[in-house]
Amino acid sequence: MKEVLIRPELCMGCRSCEIACAVEHSESKNLFAAIMEKPTPQKRIYVEYVPEYNAAIPMTCRHCEDAPCTTVCPTKALKQDEITRVVTHSTDLCIGCWACSMVCNYGVIGRQKEARVAVKCNLCPGREIPACVEACPTNALVFLEVKKLSGVKRTEAALKLARGMQGKAL
Amino acid sequence: MPTAVYCDLSRCIGCRACELACQRENKTSRISLEVVEGLAPVPVSCRQCETPLCTAPCPGGALRYENGRLEYDAEKCTGCGLCILACPFGAAVLKGGVIERCDFCPEKEIPVCVATCPTAALFCAEAESFGKNIRHRNVEKMKKILDPSIAAGREGRR
Amino acid sequence: MEEKNLYPTICPYCSLGCGFFLEVKEGKVAGLSYMPGHPVNEGSLCPKGNASTEVLTHPDRLLHPLLKTENGWKEISWEEALSLAAAKMGSVLQEYGPDALAFLGSAKCSNEENYLFQKIARLLGTNNVDNCARLCHASTLTGLGKSLGAGAMTNPLSDLENSDCIFVVGSNFAENHPVISRWILRAKERGAFVIVADPRRTPSTWLSDLFLRLKPGTDIALLNGMMHVIVSEGLLDREFIRKRTRDFEGFERILSEYSPEAASAITGVPAGDIIKAAREYAKADAAAILYSMGITQHISGTDNVIACSDLALICGQVGKKGAGIFPLRGQNNVQGACDMGSLAEYFPGYGKVGDKEAAARLKKIWAAEKLSEKPGLTTAKMSEAARAGKLKALYLLGEDPVNSHPDSLNVRKALEKLDFLVVQDIFMTDTAEYADLILPAAAWAEKEGSFTSTERRVQWISRAIAPPGEAKADLDILLGFAEKLGLGLEYRDAGEVLAEISRVVPMYGGITKERLLQAYRVSWPCPETGHPGTPILHTERFNTPDGLARLIPVEYRSPAESPDPAYPFLLTTGRTGLHYNGGSMSKRSSFLLEKEPELFVEINPSDAQTMEIEEGNNIILETRRGSTQAKARLTERVSRGVLFMPFHFSGTNMLTGDALDREAGIPEFKVSACRVRRV
Amino acid sequence: MNERIRLIIADEKKCIGCRACTSVCPEGIIHFSEEGGMRNIQFPGSCTLNCELCALNCPENAIMFLLREESNIEENIEGKLGGKLEGEKKAGENRVLLPDRIISLKLMPCRKCGATFATLKEIEKVRKAISEKVPLPSGGDFWMELCPGCRRGTFREKEAKTLLMTRKF
């Protein structure tokens, strides 16, 4: 199954993903209209800036296997699809107890202020590629199977090595 | 603001100081801690839900969600105990005709359970702030692994 | 509404010295409130601390001096009681000589009281004075004394925050000193690596990054194994070894036998984990060792302590921020009681008994003609001497040997054999039942005095309330007793005693009541008035004559008793989070008792299955010394073949043995061979 | 104190057995007991106090008072409750004495521990109130079948499970 995977070494902390995410989850799906919307559209991906390294790491729901948030949710507002492993959240059923937020190992369950319910990544249903991935200018976010990412990295490493060898040969 | 007494379970050592402090302050402990299988301590207290189910069956309006928080008015309480039956967490008890549930120790600056917690596992803050902490913690962990590549990547771009 | 007065005080339970405020209303304790500004606990308190006020208001408190008569206990006046005590002790002294008397001090009493107590004993001509440090950290005194020159914690607890690696061995700090977890977690947040070595899976191991589950009593093999890795991989701090230590050459040789594989065979810890632990410890910028009774309460207790100190020394992890050796002691004033010389072989300030110079100095200050030059009886030896009829009279200051000493059946025999037993306590204890005379004492907040916590922090407790009934402060009782004996000890109050202490004990030189009242915490050594105190020891030189630490090679020895076909289980003992030692205080808290009401024994579920024992069954445990009954608790906390029992309830110490460490005289509470059957 | 004796009339159909009346009664004359899987609430036939706290606090408005002297008492009772009350009418007097009245309600056993913890009617009322607030799917309010202690326990076990996933030692 495809996941949103991060390559922190490529992230430059532009936060395009955050904006794209909020817009995608707005009524209008348009940046300028979304800003004015009530409730305020909210991002579900968080770019954490690390000043010591002048680096940034984007974080979003990992859609864990046997997801802790779905285990503790009393009203089953959080549900995991048995096949795709996607964890979805129903605002109607959410009672705002924040049990999910407490057990999430990645801290990626946020709060929708007006509706007082949880918000989290739902992998953009209806889209082939999640909005955050599509918006990433440096490919720090990729939508791939884990196996595939290893392949990509292998190719990159091989390319680097080949370039080095070429330099030597010259 | 969704503020309640929450627990960072990874820090809890199951010492029960919270229970004892609460009992001392409020006569009945409103937080209950058990260690599951002798290995995983979990304290349970009122989660101050934002769409609280306990208010649904309340006949006199004693329990209500107001000003962004769950309010309880003992004067209006009829002592029917229906709220207790509605709570999915079993976090309140009826005692002497009134509801015993976490009210953040109004006479104290911070709830006594939070103040006494030796490991600072219990905290009284917004739920989001905890998510933020976890993300920071993960960044710390990732830093160890990603350190060389990040540093290299940055250098190239500077 | 009547205003509540807040009195700052120090928790009477463990040795961390956590601060809190007592709320006093109309002369009575109305509750407690937290002290966020205290440097040790930052306002937090463990459950025992929260329950501490129950001790002050408990109906079981002793209110009058009690004399044992044929018709039970009879209330008598203080005058009668003290005269009687002095007369009886005096007649024993006359008839059998000073060494037929013994004095057992209390690590729950203040420095001043312990000082006065041992002074009385020594002025009477005997060194038979000891305290319960003998049962928990005597081996720290001898072990660290030999290698570093000072048997005390090297750094303050809050300094753990600055550690990069914390190695905990033989300590279940999360249950026994819960507040330490706060500092360890803070270090972890900074990225510190935490290693816990323990036979049991405990709340402390939950906080660890690496858990070494060793067999009880094999600590030296583990530590030597780690040192082997450090030496063979060249992870030593050679400069530190060259400049600050001596005897490294001989030391290195002994490690060759402890390859990780060999250590693994003895300890049961995978060799890979030993290597990992050694690397993490040695490579850290600042690494701390925490140990407690899992190290000290063995027949090899002193050697265990030395092995810990060796590990720290070869890695240069002593005398700097975030590093050091942290012996976590038991009682709230166990450090102070030892500093005050409430020990059979040490004068106040650790002058050795028998050392002419130390004796001469003391004689001058005390204006005493003669002091005994013979080291006195340690607690275990006292019991032996009493059974042999050589010890006739015993003065117990807040001690409950029947519950806290090993092999309690023999202790009971010894107490029965005594001609005269005085017990000074706040509650009736199992030991007090044997007394001829009981003197009701004041609890901690009902008197004033200084207390020294495990991190050498001296703190002053002021009197917040009056003692109940006719109970009196221990200091007043002792002064009354000394007066009846005609010893001519005159002090107006605890402050005056402390003034004398500062002249006698060099490291308390600059500590006075006035100073403690102002900034009510100073870390010793504080040799003179203007000295700021010394939070970190050994920064420049060690406390040895040449200023160098000794690297002392130690060999693994198996415990006094090992499981065999007749007694197939290995029984180890310890504390639970909710009770405290003999339990005379904690078992009087309704809450603590409600949560942990009775003696239990932890047994691994697979062992239980083969013996058809189920959760909650009553089972009988037998050792070569006695048997007791306990509720079975099936848990993965203990591994197969190991049983664990808390020692708060009478029964546990009927099982433990009285095999002693050769140097420190500490009994091996932690290992006994045991068998189990269903009721 | 008002000397008028008033009759307490509790409506069996409306009462859900919540015990609000027993806890507020200043005289403590409304009793309850639980046995054989039933909760029994025992109302005295009459009361001399002029407080009506029980009626005011009843979430179902199941309690009413009538003055004993009211002439059309039988019709009143019959009219309001839609049934006949077995009162005793003394000859020559237009007064009714009611015997103690016991309302018995079936209790719900906890699905986990088996101990009874609430009446079926209470549960039904709470379930309805919750479903009006949050559109739970059927069976979504599983906790309604558990006693408060077991709800704590169940939630605790779930949280513990998530904790043990990440706990190494």
Side-chain angles (χ1 to χ4, degrees):
Chain A
M1 156 202 146
K2 283 186 178 176
E3 294 177 52
V4 175
L5 300 170
I6 54 170
R7 305 192 58 186
E9 71 274 18
L10 298 179
C11 177
M12 42 181 210
C14 68
R15 300 186 189 263
S16 304
C17 50
E18 290 187 352
I19 294 170
C21 178
V23 172
E24 173 64 24
H25 293 99
S26 68
E27 280 292 314
S28 57
K29 311 221 170 190
N30 171 300
L31 175 60
F32 299 101
I35 293 171
M36 310 302 290
E37 265 177 40
K38 288 280 169 212
T40 323
Q42 213 160 332
K43 65 178 179 183
R44 291 120 203 259
I45 185 164
Y46 305 83
V47 178
E48 291 295 329
Y49 181 63
V50 194
E52 296 104 296
Y53 296 103
N54 184 25
I57 303 177
M59 296 207 187
T60 186
C61 176
R62 310 296 320 144
H63 298 274
C64 312
E65 213 162 309
D66 220 347
C69 52
T70 61
T71 309
V72 296
C73 180
T75 56
K76 295 278 165 282
L78 281 160
K79 260 204 309 230
Q80 185 159 33
D81 190 301
E82 281 174 23
I83 295 156
T84 62
R85 257 175 54 202
V86 177
V87 177
T88 52
H89 178 253
S90 146
T91 45
D92 289 346
L93 294 177
C94 180
I95 57 169
C97 70
W98 304 109
C100 51
S101 174
M102 290 302 126
V103 298
C104 176
N105 287 317
Y106 298 93
V108 289
I109 298 181
R111 171 173 180 261
Q112 164 55 252
K113 282 194 197 69
E114 287 86 351
R116 312 192 307 255
V117 294
V119 279
K120 68 170 290 298
C121 165
N122 57 357
L123 280 188
C124 299
R127 261 176 168 276
E128 214 162 285
I129 298 172
C132 53
V133 176
E134 205 173 80
C136 181
T138 57
N139 286 337
L141 289 171
V142 288
F143 192 55
L144 284 176
E145 279 153 31
V146 178
K147 250 189 348 204
K148 284 265 171 62
L149 180 65
S150 309
V152 170
K153 285 188 171 173
R154 217 161 35 236
T155 321
E156 280 175 9
L159 199 64
K160 222 164 152 185
L161 214 63
R163 269 197 214 119
M165 279 163 61
Q166 204 177 23
K168 281 246 170 70
L170 288 169
Chain B
M1 282 289 109
T3 302
V5 173
Y6 296 118
C7 180
D8 178 351
L9 292 179
S10 67
R11 296 175 78 99
C12 179
I13 51 173
C15 73
R16 292 171 181 268
C18 47
E19 272 186 318
L20 217 147
C22 187
Q23 191 178 37
R24 205 164 34 71
E25 183 71 19
N26 304 307
K27 303 289 176 285
T28 314
S29 184
R30 297 160 178 187
I31 184 162
S32 113
L33 191 147
E34 294 294 336
V35 185
V36 177
E37 289 169 26
L39 298 173
V42 183
V44 179
S45 64
C46 177
R47 303 197 69 90
Q48 322 284 353
C49 301
E50 295 205 72
T51 309
L53 298 182
C54 50
T55 59
C58 183
L63 264 174
R64 59 201 184 276
Y65 191 82
E66 235 175 51
N67 311 325
R69 57 180 289 176
L70 192 53
E71 303 271 8
Y72 173 62
D73 188 345
E75 301 258 300
K76 286 189 185 164
C77 180
T78 64
C80 67
L82 295 180
C83 49
I84 289 163
L85 294 178
C87 173
F89 307 103
V93 286
L94 191 67
K95 202 185 164 199
V98 287
I99 308 301
E100 289 280 350
R101 63 169 262 286
C102 174
D103 59 358
F104 305 105
C105 303
E107 286 181 16
K108 302 275 174 178
E109 237 168 86
I110 34 173
V112 289
C113 54
V114 174
T116 197
C117 183
T119 59
L122 288 178
F123 60 97
C124 191
E126 292 159 31
E128 297 122 290
S129 71
F130 183 62
K132 210 170 187 175
N133 280 346
I134 297 269
R135 293 201 298 274
H136 283 296
R137 210 184 285 173
N138 283 342
V139 165
E140 286 291 318
K141 274 190 215 158
M142 285 174 92
K143 246 162 52 183
K144 263 193 182 169
I145 304 162
L146 298 167
D147 185 343
S149 58
I150 289 184
R154 293 292 125 189
E155 220 105 299
R157 227 171 289 158
R158 250 180 220 146
Chain C
M1 208 180 93
E2 179 75 24
E3 267 295 291
K4 282 179 191 165
N5 288 318
L6 292 184
Y7 285 89
T9 193
I10 308 296
C11 178
Y13 278 105
C14 85
S15 61
L16 297 193
C18 300
F20 60 87
F21 292 103
L22 272 182
E23 291 173 2
V24 178
K25 205 167 143 185
E26 292 164 3
K28 291 215 162 57
V29 175
L32 66 81
S33 50
Y34 303 110
M35 192 192 275
H38 197 276
V40 172
N41 56 328
E42 297 184 329
S44 69
L45 276 186
C46 76
K48 294 185 288 284
N50 271 297
S52 60
T53 53
E54 285 187 67
V55 170
L56 298 173
T57 52
H58 201 279
D60 282 3
R61 283 289 297 276
L62 293 170
L63 303 176
H64 309 280
L66 296 174
L67 179 71
K68 188 182 257 168
T69 64
E70 280 165 12
N71 313 320
W73 297 102
K74 188 185 144 207
E75 287 178 16
I76 58 172
S77 74
W78 272 110
E79 177 63 29
E80 284 175 88
L82 292 174
S83 305
L84 180 77
K88 287 274 189 181
M89 297 292 254
S91 69
V92 170
L93 179 68
Q94 295 238 303
E95 204 170 321
Y96 302 99
D99 285 337
L101 299 173
F103 295 80
L104 205 46
S106 171
K108 276 248 172 298
C109 286
S110 70
N111 287 330
E112 292 73 23
E113 286 149 4
N114 274 295
Y115 176 79
L116 197 64
F117 194 61
Q118 60 86 31
K119 186 170 176 182
I120 291 173
R122 295 201 154 112
L123 288 180
L124 288 176
T126 180
N127 284 318
N128 288 349
V129 57
D130 217 10
N131 78 73
C132 61
R134 188 66 60 198
L135 306 174
C136 57
H137 273 281
S139 23
T140 296
L141 288 183
T142 50
L144 290 188
K146 264 163 92 175
S147 66
L148 308 180
M153 196 183 273
T154 59
N155 295 41
L157 290 168
S158 52
D159 198 26
L160 280 175
E161 177 183 22
N162 303 315
S163 286
D164 300 303
C165 175
I166 298 174
F167 179 38
V168 183
V169 54
S171 170
N172 179 8
F173 62 86
E175 284 194 278
N176 300 334
H177 304 92
V179 170
I180 290 185
S181 322
R182 188 183 195 86
W183 300 105
I184 292 185
L185 279 165
R186 205 163 292 173
K188 268 191 80 146
E189 268 167 27
R190 280 182 50 256
F193 192 83
V194 178
I195 308 162
V196 174
D198 202 302
R200 285 169 74 217
R201 200 173 158 181
T202 64
S204 312
T205 63
W206 302 343
L207 307 182
S208 69
D209 298 297
L210 181 63
F211 171 35
L212 312 174
R213 191 173 207 161
L214 78 173
K215 286 184 198 145
T218 60
D219 310 79
I220 293 183
L222 173 71
L223 291 160
N224 279 354
M226 283 171 67
M227 286 190 266
H228 177 101
V229 176
I230 290 166
V231 170
S232 62
E233 294 190 2
L235 302 171
L236 312 137
D237 187 339
R238 290 198 184 279
E239 199 187 327
F240 186 91
I241 294 172
R242 201 175 58 245
K243 282 193 182 152
R244 306 276 316 264
T245 69
R246 48 186 279 188
D247 309 335
F248 179 64
E249 292 68 30
F251 172 79
E252 209 178 353
R253 231 169 294 132
I254 200 163
L255 294 179
S256 60
E257 286 164 40
Y258 295 91
S259 66
E261 292 71 26
S264 170
I266 302 172
T267 59
V269 178
D273 285 353
I274 297 179
I275 296 172
K276 179 149 201 243
R279 286 179 186 160
E280 289 285 349
Y281 180 84
K283 284 182 181 171
D285 289 335
I289 297 182
L290 259 73
Y291 74 83
S292 188
M293 271 129 83
I295 282 288
T296 58
Q297 286 181 340
H298 288 286
I299 54 160
S300 55
T302 304
D303 288 353
N304 286 354
V305 172
I306 290 173
C308 290
S309 145
D310 286 340
L311 174 60
L313 288 171
I314 62 166
C315 297
Q317 300 287 14
V318 188
K320 61 181 183 188
K321 222 173 150 189
I325 301 168
F326 294 71
L328 302 177
R329 312 199 60 160
Q331 303 277 15
N332 57 345
N333 196 32
V334 64
Q335 182 69 48
C338 295
D339 298 344
M340 293 307 119
S342 196
L343 289 169
E345 74 273 40
Y346 288 109
F347 289 134
Y350 302 108
K352 260 243 184 261
V353 170
D355 179 358
K356 290 262 180 334
E357 213 175 298
R361 200 170 150 261
L362 211 53
K363 266 191 233 165
K364 202 173 137 212
I365 300 176
W366 286 358
E369 287 161 23
K370 203 171 141 268
L371 289 176
S372 171
E373 289 180 5
K374 194 176 100 193
L377 299 173
T378 61
T379 51
K381 292 277 185 303
M382 283 180 195
S383 157
E384 215 178 284
R387 281 202 302 278
K390 282 187 226 150
L391 191 68
K392 298 292 182 189
L394 179 61
Y395 195 138
L396 283 177
L397 184 62
E399 285 273 302
D400 182 12
V402 168
N403 280 325
S404 56
H405 287 213
D407 200 358
S408 47
L409 291 177
N410 266 333
V411 174
R412 283 174 192 263
K413 273 184 213 151
L415 294 176
E416 267 167 25
K417 199 96 196 270
L418 289 169
D419 286 357
F420 187 65
L421 174 64
V422 191
V423 172
Q424 184 170 323
D425 213 319
I426 60 172
F427 287 119
M428 194 70 194
T429 60
D430 288 346
T431 304
E433 303 284 351
Y434 290 88
D436 298 289
L437 181 66
I438 300 179
L439 304 175
W444 92 103
E446 298 158 359
K447 59 187 186 187
E448 60 168 11
S450 65
F451 289 78
T452 308
S453 76
T454 186
E455 53 170 14
R456 297 173 283 107
R457 181 188 296 275
V458 186
Q459 307 184 97
W460 187 265
I461 296 183
S462 302
R463 182 174 139 137
I465 50 167
E470 286 186 77
K472 275 204 210 176
D474 296 87
L475 196 74
D476 297 337
I477 303 174
L478 291 175
L479 282 173
F481 175 65
E483 190 194 321
K484 295 282 176 213
L485 283 171
L487 289 177
L489 298 178
E490 278 176 22
Y491 303 95
R492 256 180 306 151
D493 58 6
E496 242 174 54
V497 182
L498 184 59
E500 182 174 313
I501 292 172
S502 64
R503 278 189 291 139
V504 174
V505 183
M507 59 256 197
Y508 284 69
I511 298 177
T512 59
K513 179 182 172 183
E514 291 67 38
R515 180 163 178 189
L516 290 177
L517 277 177
Q518 254 173 24
Y520 50 101
R521 29 200 175 235
V522 180
S523 301
W524 70 251
C526 174
E528 68 238 354
T529 323
H531 195 281
T534 317
I536 300 181
L537 288 181
H538 315 308
T539 46
E540 302 292 325
R541 66 191 299 278
F542 290 96
N543 205 17
T544 49
D546 54 7
L548 299 177
R550 307 286 189 275
L551 282 167
I552 304 161
V554 287
E555 288 267 24
Y556 164 70
R557 277 179 288 148
S558 50
E561 229 179 28
S562 294
D564 52 39
Y567 294 91
F569 284 98
L570 197 157
L571 173 72
T572 186
T573 64
R575 269 161 56 186
T576 72
L578 290 171
H579 283 296
Y580 194 71
N581 290 8
S584 68
M585 282 162 74
S586 64
K587 279 194 296 194
R588 284 189 167 82
S589 155
S590 52
F591 180 91
L592 298 176
L593 206 55
E594 182 195 324
K595 296 286 171 191
E596 201 77 272
E598 56 190 346
L599 184 60
F600 64 87
V601 53
E602 287 183 358
I603 180 168
N604 188 285
S606 50
D607 282 334
Q609 205 185 2
T610 49
M611 310 202 51
E612 293 179 359
I613 293 169
E614 281 170 26
E615 176 81 29
N617 280 167
N618 271 320
I619 58 175
I620 292 176
L621 294 101
E622 287 173 312
T623 64
R624 293 192 169 82
R625 290 153 297 276
S627 75
T628 196
Q629 201 174 327
K631 271 234 156 70
R633 196 175 278 184
L634 274 54
T635 169
E636 294 286 345
R637 281 188 177 201
V638 288
S639 44
R640 294 198 66 169
V642 177
L643 304 173
F644 169 82
M645 270 173 116
F647 50 57
H648 315 294
F649 302 90
S650 55
T652 305
N653 279 330
M654 292 189 186
L655 305 176
T656 49
D658 56 359
L660 300 182
D661 177 84
R662 276 178 309 209
E663 285 169 80
I666 196 166
E668 187 157 62
F669 282 109
K670 294 290 183 225
V671 183
S672 311
C674 177
R675 67 180 173 215
V676 173
R677 62 187 164 84
R678 286 175 61 189
V679 170
Chain D
M1 197 181 285
N2 197 322
E3 278 301 305
R4 290 181 308 172
I5 297 175
R6 299 176 307 157
L7 307 179
I8 303 176
I9 296 157
D11 189 335
E12 192 165 13
K13 287 203 206 77
K14 283 187 183 169
C15 174
I16 58 169
C18 72
R19 298 168 293 173
C21 47
T22 65
S23 74
V24 292
C25 178
E27 293 278 273
I29 51 173
I30 309 176
H31 302 289
F32 87 94
S33 62
E34 285 180 7
E35 58 177 338
M38 303 294 278
R39 180 180 291 164
N40 306 312
I41 309 220
Q42 185 175 2
F43 293 92
S46 52
C47 169
T48 54
L49 272 189
N50 194 16
C51 79
E52 298 197 4
L53 276 176
C54 52
L56 288 172
N57 278 301
C58 179
E60 297 294 293
N61 295 323
I63 302 175
M64 56 184 178
F65 285 90
L66 283 177
L67 282 181
R68 206 161 71 153
E69 287 76 14
E70 280 180 49
S71 55
N72 55 347
I73 191 155
E74 280 159 311
E75 289 145 48
N76 232 328
I77 295 170
E78 284 167 20
K80 287 193 176 160
L81 298 184
K84 225 174 156 59
L85 269 181
E86 288 180 10
E88 190 187 334
K89 195 170 178 183
K90 280 191 183 163
E93 282 184 51
N94 196 12
R95 289 181 179 182
V96 175
L97 283 177
L98 289 180
D100 282 5
R101 184 173 167 75
I102 296 176
I103 295 181
S104 286
L105 294 158
K106 203 164 185 308
L107 284 166
M108 169 114 155
C110 168
R111 210 174 131 188
K112 206 167 170 186
C113 69
T116 54
F117 67 100
T119 65
L120 294 180
K121 277 171 120 180
E122 282 180 302
I123 300 281
E124 194 187 327
K125 179 179 163 76
V126 174
R127 275 203 149 130
K128 193 155 162 277
I130 290 179
S131 68
E132 277 164 13
K133 187 156 190 179
V134 178
L136 293 168
S138 74
D141 53 357
F142 69 94
W143 66 87
M144 293 305 298
E145 299 176 355
L146 302 174
C147 70
C150 288
R151 292 179 192 180
R152 274 198 295 278
T154 309
F155 180 66
R156 197 192 309 280
E157 276 162 27
K158 286 178 181 171
E159 283 216 318
K161 190 183 152 200
T162 69
L163 175 63
L164 290 174
M165 271 187 218
T166 52
R167 176 157 285 167
K168 273 189 287 179
F169 305 112

